[in-house]
Amino acid sequence: KKLAVNVDYLAMSATPIPRSLAMALYGDFDLSIIDGLPAGRKPVKTLLYPPRKRNEVYKKLESELMEGRQAYVVYPLIDDSDKIDLRSAKEGYEKLCKEVFPHRRVGLVHGQLSSAERDETMKSFISGETEILVATTVIEVGIDVANATVMLIENPERFGLSQLHQLRGRVGRGLSESFFVLIADPQ
């Protein structure tokens, strides 16, 4: 005989976010776990580099681009700040466009853009026209670009663990090997 179950609430999460864990531990919430990757997908490699090895990271990124793949570069701030010494998306975008990857198509997306500008930039990246997408955490969820194999995070110490996990989930969605690269000074 089949057991009839009435479900009042169904929540799904790709990551074990704190709210889901708390509900499973303290509430009347059953937990199901899918702990395997979809067929053919490879685990994402996580790599940590100090800032002095940034050029080495850029060479790795370039090799992925030469293979026809795409990359994200994520910054904790949109604009430079007088109060905090962190790299910003706008500053990073300018440097990547002019100095590091002038021969590549680089896009910029962040929360201060209009919806139309964000949509246009995202369409360009999803279609493969844009090779490198410089962003803030606006790309944290809902983006599925199987061709993106590198996620480079600047100042990862400024993000929460859940945010980093969500960002890491933007790569490794295709059949190619993918990399989650953190540039941080671990002091």
Side-chain angles (χ1 to χ4, degrees):
K1 267 185 167 181
K2 285 188 175 183
L3 179 64
V5 177
N6 293 324
V7 176
D8 295 319
Y9 180 72
L10 174 64
M12 296 179 69
S13 173
T15 58
I17 58 176
R19 181 178 171 275
S20 297
L21 289 174
M23 289 181 76
L25 288 172
Y26 304 115
D28 184 17
F29 198 63
D30 293 327
L31 182 66
S32 297
I33 298 173
I34 301 171
D35 60 0
L37 293 172
R41 287 198 190 166
K42 298 176 176 128
V44 175
K45 288 187 179 178
T46 300
L47 307 167
L48 173 65
Y49 287 88
R52 71 179 185 282
K53 293 199 174 187
R54 184 174 275 107
N55 287 335
E56 194 176 311
V57 172
Y58 290 155
K59 285 179 187 174
K60 173 63 180 164
L61 201 154
E62 178 64 31
S63 72
E64 288 294 304
L65 297 174
M66 287 177 66
E67 295 291 323
R69 301 201 179 89
Q70 293 167 273
Y72 301 96
V73 181
V74 179
Y75 293 87
L77 300 175
I78 296 171
D79 289 301
D80 292 339
S81 171
D82 295 336
K83 298 176 182 158
I84 199 164
D85 186 27
L86 297 174
R87 298 170 67 85
S88 72
K90 287 181 181 178
E91 170 195 24
Y93 172 76
E94 292 298 322
K95 182 172 178 150
L96 292 174
C97 285
K98 293 177 181 173
E99 299 173 29
V100 184
F101 298 107
H103 56 292
R104 297 290 181 186
R105 295 176 309 270
V106 182
L108 174 65
V109 66
H110 55 74
Q112 291 179 351
L113 296 176
S114 69
S115 294
E117 289 172 308
R118 271 195 314 267
D119 290 348
E120 188 62 36
T121 301
M122 291 310 302
K123 282 179 189 171
S124 178
F125 188 69
I126 290 166
S127 74
E129 182 182 332
T130 297
E131 298 167 290
I132 301 170
L133 184 62
V134 175
T136 58
T137 57
V138 296
I139 61 152
E140 188 177 337
V141 292
I143 310 297
D144 187 6
V145 180
N147 194 44
T149 58
V150 177
M151 170 68 70
L152 169 57
I153 307 290
E154 291 279 357
N155 300 112
E157 69 279 4
R158 301 302 295 186
F159 299 100
L161 192 55
S162 292
Q163 279 183 311
L164 291 172
H165 193 68
Q166 290 281 34
L167 289 165
R168 187 176 187 270
R170 299 307 100 218
V171 293
R173 295 178 160 271
L175 301 179
S176 300
E177 185 175 43
S178 294
F179 305 91
F180 185 67
V181 183
L182 308 164
I183 295 183
D185 194 358
Q187 289 183 9

